[in-house]
Amino acid sequence: MIEVKNLVKDYYGNVAVNGLSFTVEAGEIVGFLGPNGAGKSTTMNIITGYISATEGHAIVNGYDVFDEPEKAKKSIGYLPEQPPLYLEMMVKEYLMFVAELKKVKKSERASMIADIMELTKIADVSGRLIKHLSKGYRQRVGLAAAIVGYPEILILDEPTVGLDPNQIIEIRELIKSLSKKHTILLSSHIMQEVDAVCDKIIIINRGELVAYDTPANIAKVMEESRELIVTVKGGEPQVRTAIDAIGGIKEIKYLTVGDKVIIKIKMQENVDVREAVSFALMDIRCPVLDMRLHEVSLEEIFLNLTGANKEAE
């Protein structure tokens, strides 16, 4: 459905996209992640034909965006980060105007707009001026405009930016419902955002691909990164002897701080050694002051992949 091949965008020496390649299959919701300035919006603008590329190809629904732009654009519904709404228009009036721009048959416009307003839950504000709508409703109107003409592909750039938590949940549910009939490329810089709705996740940084995988596989990375942190009162030699005898441990580190020992344990897959650690320390009469399981979050994996943690150090 969407195929990006060796895409490059160079703004007079400032490379925004650098040899980027990925594929979005029909019927998928794919999250497009990266820190601010990573090249997400530039890539989306190239795919939608708003700007040209320096090198490479963007193929949409079988059409090269640069060679057959009109055919490619007919397959795309685009919601930019700031929806291009005409605030002095009423909602229905605006959507009818969009339908005219998209060359929807005149005989089909009214019923299509009615269906889309029902789908995006804006029918109740169809007669109101857009400038009087809340941020959440304006975002819905922008999404409705993207759906006009029933394009096979929806490209959504930061669709929940600036929304409150309730509005974010509503938009996420709406995006999920749209996936039944549309292929969706969803941009965000929030890991949890795409994890909530997407089949696959693309992560880019400085215009380059750093990861492309399913949320399940990323969750597996999280599972492998689980760490048990134990603070115990006692001497390190006796603590080492007790803990090193426990099975199911992949990696272990000890740190002595005064009369306390901090133990960091990485466990083997599907193994939980907390009970064994507790009994081992009880046997040598070393009291456990704290025991907690640290699981690396999706956000931490994202920061590690994009190098943000290293830059902050």
Side-chain angles (χ1 to χ4, degrees), residues 120-188:
T120 53
K121 297 182 180 178
I122 56 172
D124 56 332
V125 296
S126 64
R128 292 179 58 183
L129 290 175
I130 294 173
K131 69 178 181 179
H132 293 151
L133 300 180
S134 67
K135 172 72 174 175
Y137 266 109
R138 289 188 190 186
Q139 203 73 351
R140 285 179 179 273
V141 173
L143 192 50
I147 299 169
V148 169
Y150 297 132
E152 293 93 335
I153 297 164
L154 295 177
I155 296 181
L156 314 177
D157 193 357
E158 303 279 2
T160 62
V161 68
L163 303 185
D164 65 38
N166 288 330
Q167 292 169 337
I168 288 172
I169 292 170
E170 290 174 359
I171 294 295
R172 284 178 182 173
E173 291 303 316
L174 176 55
I175 291 169
K176 284 181 185 177
S177 70
L178 292 173
S179 67
K180 297 173 184 176
K181 295 183 179 180
H182 303 274
T183 299
I184 301 174
L185 181 62
L186 164 69
S187 163
S188 179

Side-chain angles (χ1 to χ4, degrees), residues 196-214:
V197 298
C198 296
D199 303 307
K200 290 181 182 175
I201 297 173
I202 297 169
I203 302 177
I204 67 170
N205 190 41
R206 296 190 179 98
E208 297 181 356
L209 184 72
V210 294
Y212 186 16
D213 216 329
T214 64

Side-chain angles (χ1 to χ4, degrees), residues 4 61 75 98 120 124 126 164 166 179 209 226 246 262-263 276:
V4 171
N61 202 21
S75 304
V98 171
T120 53
D124 56 332
S126 64
D164 65 38
N166 288 330
S179 67
L209 184 72
R226 286 190 316 155
I246 297 172
I262 299 172
I263 315 163

Side-chain angles (χ1 to χ4, degrees), residues 229-237 239-240 252-265:
I229 302 173
V230 184
T231 303
V232 57
K233 188 172 183 179
E236 185 175 322
V239 170
R240 276 181 176 271
I252 189 164
K253 294 178 182 178
Y254 297 92
L255 175 65
T256 298
V257 181
D259 63 346
K260 302 178 184 67
V261 180
I262 299 172
I263 315 163
K264 294 184 177 182
I265 301 169

